[in-house]
């Protein structure tokens, strides 16, 4: 039996959630729209949350490479309406 992180499969479509670290080194989860996510104590907790939120859909969760940091700041309504929000 593998770890939760090894249960994440590549998808043919866009990922719904990204798991990684923020600039302070904390484990974070962010959805593609920046509306669902959070800060977690460890990677397994972050992956478990993302998998549950995506109803365990294969490929819905992506773990960012170590050199990539994630930002979970909210997207303003103006940015979303203008199409300049985070992608």
């Amino acid at each position: 039996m593998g770890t939760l992180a090894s249960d994440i499969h590549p998808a043919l479509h866009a990922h719904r959630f990204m798991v990684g670290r923020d600039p302070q080194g904390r484990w974070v989860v962010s959805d593609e729209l920046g509306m669902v996510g959070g800060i977690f104590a460890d990677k397994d907790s972050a992956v478990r949350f993302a998998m549950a939120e995506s109803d365990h859909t294969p490929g819905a969760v992506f773990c960012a490479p170590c050199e990539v940091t994630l930002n979970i700041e909210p997207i303003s309504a103006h940015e979303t309406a203008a199409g300049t929000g985070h992608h």
Side-chain angles (χ1 to χ4, degrees):
M1 186 169 148
T3 65
L4 287 172
S6 68
D7 293 336
I8 300 171
H9 305 287
L12 298 176
H13 52 82
H15 307 290
R16 177 161 179 224
F17 288 97
M18 184 167 292
V19 176
R21 290 185 180 251
D22 68 5
Q24 290 76 34
R26 301 174 294 194
W27 286 101
V28 298
V29 173
S30 181
D31 77 335
E32 60 190 1
L33 300 176
M35 300 191 65
V36 178
I39 299 171
F40 297 86
D42 54 52
K43 185 177 182 178
D44 281 347
S45 297
V47 169
R48 189 177 305 114
F49 171 82
M51 294 290 286
E53 286 294 312
S54 65
D55 201 25
H56 298 273
T57 302
V61 179
F62 175 76
C63 286
C66 294
E67 63 273 6
V68 174
T69 56
L70 302 182
N71 186 352
I72 60 169
E73 291 180 19
I75 300 171
S76 73
H78 175 70
E79 288 178 314
T80 303
T84 60
H86 303 278
H87 297 286

